[in-house]
Amino acid sequence: MTMKKWIVPMLSMTLMMPALAGAAEPTTGAMKASVNTPAAELRAGLDYLLSEHFTLAVTAMTKAYDGTTDAAAAYKALDQNALDMQPAIASLYGDAGAAEFERIFRAHNQYTDDLVKATKNKDAAAMKTAEDKVSGFVNEFGNFLGTATEGKLPAAAAKQVIRSHEDHVQEVFEDYAAGDYQGAYEAYRKGYAEMFSISKALSSAIVAQMPAKFESTKADTKAADLRSALNQLAGEHFALSVLQMQEQYEGRAASDALIRAEAMNTADFKAAIASIYGAEGAAAFEQIWVTNHVNAQADFVTAVKNKDAAAQAAVEARIAGFTTEFAAFLDSATAGNLPEAAGQAALTAHENQVQQVLTQYAAGDYTASYQTNREGYKTMFSVGQALGNAIVTQYNGKFQEAAAPATTDPAAMTKVWMKVGSGVLNINGTVTQMDTEPFIWSGMTYIPLRYLSEGIGAEVKWDKGAQQVTIKAGSDTLVFWMNKDFMEVNGMRQSVGAKVFVNADNRTVVPLRFITELLGWNVQWGGDKSIKLTKSM
């Protein structure tokens, strides 16, 4: 199945500060940046619930396919996640809206369970029925979101991203069922990241719909982006750790692939630390993080499996040392904005939860294990909040938003119009006939990169030998490679989520949502498949 993705959280853009020792002080009169605004809280809450849904959906499906003894408990946890979303929906759209949400969303968990059973039984007809139900869910839930947000999140856009999410879940499952565990967990990481993009889009739509409820704060500020990026890294770390420990305990083949996925998560964490505190800080982080944390968890599993109390106590002592050392590192790195005592308390709680998930699992108390799993996963979002708050406090000037323009003069806006299936490009009234057209492929809209980039004043260079496109937009340099699903932003690599390629008209095409989000454009969809892009210049 083709990899699909909507918007990647802009971690590398958010943390693009390689020399923060000389960070600018807050601008006089500028509003202080914060990760704790009402809109940022909404986004963080959606980060948690939506990403947990993904982790539990994949876990429930793979456990059911393998016929493990904890499969029923995994599905029950997934169902409870759907129920836990209801109060948040009710607070925004009332009890009737929450009830409709529950009817649509909770049922689709059953559709994926049906797909697992059909796949396991190699029942093609049942597989088709389950897939049709999932498609029905995509359509119905997209319409629900479009109506609920009064079009702030258009139904067409909602359906596109929901379809992409479902495809990611199914891709992970298909790779897993085929025994391609490495492919499964590479797809898992992409699908997991996508949930944070969905929460950003949905929270932004809700805030735009109800500005007074959120005190006119925004969900897409630099500080909110940072908090969300840290939520993603911390949450993924916990989810992968728990899965890996269970697989290792059972001696299953997926354990090695999960270790590799954990290593990629660590590399992303290291890159984030480097972008803030430099290479030396990143190296110190990696040494502490891996030795008596990630590696110690694997040793803990071995001790529990062998019922070796002495070995278990020795590992627990190593882990306790990690909490002390890492808390001191964070205190020092954040200049005391994340105090050592607070850091150690949070890290100790995290380690205790990880260990308890495994010991309860080993004892066969799966209901308790999944309850602890959910509590531990939620804890990681407190970590994202605390660390994000410390960094934003430390370097507040870097996270302040540009002052809103004093005028709403339309001349201050750049407006771009395109349409799927049309070669017409209209930029601020200037019409250009493109020799290629935007199109939809595998559920994702692609646009010609050069026409959009040059139309908004960016410089585009093509290196045929390297099969590389370089775009200079202001102070940013973006580099894409043909047939690769990653790119670089100012030298920092990140995933595009789908391959950049040359179409039949010999034009480089990229996913619309990715490039416009990267460059800070607002996107509006028309019912006729027209695309309107606007940005204050």
Side-chain angles (χ1 to χ4, degrees):
M1 181 177 293
T2 304
M3 294 280 189
K4 299 179 181 180
K5 199 168 186 180
W6 192 33
I7 308 171
V8 181
M10 297 294 103
L11 177 63
S12 58
M13 292 291 285
T14 304
L15 304 181
M16 204 172 293
M17 296 173 273
L20 278 178
E25 292 299 317
T27 304
T28 302
M31 183 176 292
K32 186 176 181 180
S34 174
V35 301
N36 300 316
T37 66
E41 291 292 343
L42 171 68
R43 180 175 171 185
L46 292 174
D47 279 351
Y48 159 59
L49 288 168
L50 293 175
S51 64
E52 186 190 47
H53 163 73
F54 180 88
T55 67
L56 291 174
V58 169
T59 299
M61 293 177 76
T62 55
K63 298 281 188 178
Y65 184 81
D66 286 338
T68 62
T69 50
D70 63 320
Y75 183 82
K76 184 177 180 181
L78 173 64
D79 187 53
Q80 187 60 48
N81 165 268
L83 291 173
D84 289 347
M85 293 186 190
Q86 198 168 1
I89 301 299
S91 71
L92 296 168
Y93 301 113
D95 292 339
E100 180 67 356
F101 166 85
E102 180 189 344
R103 181 189 69 79
I104 300 170
F105 194 85
R106 195 178 179 193
H108 101 282
N109 289 336
Q110 182 60 54
Y111 303 157
T112 54
D113 188 54
D114 292 343
L115 182 60
V116 173
K117 293 174 182 176
T119 302
K120 192 170 184 178
N121 295 330
K122 298 181 180 179
D123 187 334
M127 288 176 64
K128 178 65 166 58
T129 298
E131 289 170 354
D132 287 345
K133 287 181 178 179
V134 171
S135 295
F137 160 73
V138 169
N139 188 62
E140 189 173 22
F141 194 48
N143 287 335
F144 170 83
L145 291 176
T147 300
T149 64
E150 299 175 326
K152 298 296 183 182
L153 179 59
K159 291 175 187 178
Q160 184 175 359
V161 71
I162 296 165
R163 179 71 264 176
S164 180
H165 158 64
E166 292 297 334
D167 287 346
H168 268 121
V169 172
Q170 190 167 339
E171 181 177 16
V172 177
F173 173 66
E174 288 179 350
D175 284 348
Y176 186 94
D180 180 6
Y181 302 123
Q182 182 170 342
Y185 287 105
E186 287 176 356
Y188 177 101
R189 297 197 70 223
K190 293 182 179 183
Y192 180 82
E194 182 175 47
M195 305 311 290
F196 292 82
S197 302
I198 296 173
S199 68
K200 181 175 183 176
L202 182 55
S203 59
S204 296
I206 293 169
V207 167
Q209 182 186 17
M210 308 175 185
K213 187 177 182 69
F214 296 95
E215 301 176 15
S216 297
T217 57
K218 302 294 185 182
D220 58 352
T221 63
K222 296 173 186 176
D225 284 349
L226 171 68
R227 179 176 175 179
S228 183
L230 293 171
N231 285 344
Q232 179 187 333
L233 287 168
E236 184 186 52
H237 161 68
F238 183 89
L240 291 173
S241 293
V242 167
L243 279 173
Q244 189 281 322
M245 292 172 79
Q246 291 176 348
E247 293 296 292
Q248 180 186 342
Y249 183 84
E250 299 292 353
R252 290 197 283 259
S255 176
D256 288 343
L258 281 159
I259 290 173
R260 285 192 289 271
E262 284 187 276
M264 289 187 281
N265 171 265
T266 296
D268 288 346
F269 239 135
K270 182 181 178 182
I273 297 297
S275 69
I276 303 173
Y277 300 114
E280 186 175 346
F285 159 81
E286 184 177 34
Q287 177 65 25
I288 300 168
W289 184 261
V290 173
T291 306
N292 287 326
H293 180 49
V294 176
N295 291 350
Q297 288 176 352
D299 295 338
F300 180 80
V301 175
T302 300
V304 171
K305 187 171 184 177
N306 294 337
K307 298 180 180 179
D308 187 335
Q312 184 173 331
V315 176
E316 289 171 352
R318 286 170 55 197
I319 292 172
F322 157 75
T323 64
T324 299
E325 189 176 12
F326 196 51
F329 168 83
L330 293 175
D331 182 290
S332 176
T334 63
N337 285 295
L338 182 54
E340 185 173 351
Q344 185 160 1
L347 291 165
T348 299
H350 161 61
E351 291 294 350
N352 288 343
Q353 287 166 327
V354 171
Q355 293 168 32
Q356 191 175 10
V357 172
L358 192 276
T359 55
Q360 289 170 334
Y361 179 91
D365 190 352
Y366 303 125
T367 298
S369 182
Y370 278 95
Q371 179 61 37
T372 304
N373 187 340
R374 295 199 66 212
E375 292 169 359
Y377 186 76
K378 189 173 186 179
T379 294
M380 304 313 290
F381 291 76
S382 299
V383 172
Q385 183 276 334
L387 183 53
N389 182 66
I391 294 170
V392 169
T393 301
Q394 184 180 14
Y395 299 117
N396 202 265
K398 284 288 185 180
F399 291 91
Q400 289 179 3
E401 300 298 310
T407 177
T408 56
D409 183 356
M413 300 289 290
T414 295
K415 301 176 183 178
V416 179
W417 184 95
M418 291 182 286
K419 183 177 179 179
V420 171
S422 170
V424 175
L425 172 67
N426 186 323
I427 300 180
N428 287 344
T430 300
V431 177
T432 301
Q433 185 65 40
M434 301 183 292
D435 59 7
T436 192
E437 302 170 352
F439 61 94
I440 297 174
W441 181 64
S442 294
M444 185 172 290
T445 302
Y446 285 80
I447 59 171
L449 183 59
R450 179 176 290 274
Y451 278 107
L452 176 62
S453 301
E454 292 183 342
I456 62 175
E459 180 185 355
V460 182
K461 292 184 178 180
W462 164 246
D463 184 333
K464 184 176 180 180
Q467 292 289 290
Q468 169 186 310
V469 178
T470 301
I471 299 174
K472 291 188 177 180
S475 60
D476 294 322
T477 300
L478 318 179
V479 182
F480 299 83
W481 288 270
M482 296 306 100
N483 299 314
K484 302 294 185 183
D485 62 357
F486 60 83
M487 51 90 71
E488 284 186 359
V489 181
N490 296 340
M492 297 183 67
R493 178 174 293 193
Q494 64 185 59
S495 171
V496 178
K499 289 183 179 180
V500 173
F501 61 92
V502 176
N503 68 4
D505 297 321
N506 202 33
R507 290 293 184 185
T508 302
V509 292
V510 296
L512 167 68
R513 284 287 179 181
F514 180 83
I515 192 66
T516 53
E517 179 72 10
L518 187 63
L519 296 176
W521 290 78
N522 295 316
V523 182
Q524 290 182 309
W525 290 88
D528 60 349
K529 296 184 179 180
S530 61
I531 306 161
K532 295 180 181 178
L533 310 176
T534 57
K535 183 179 181 181
S536 298
M537 305 304 286

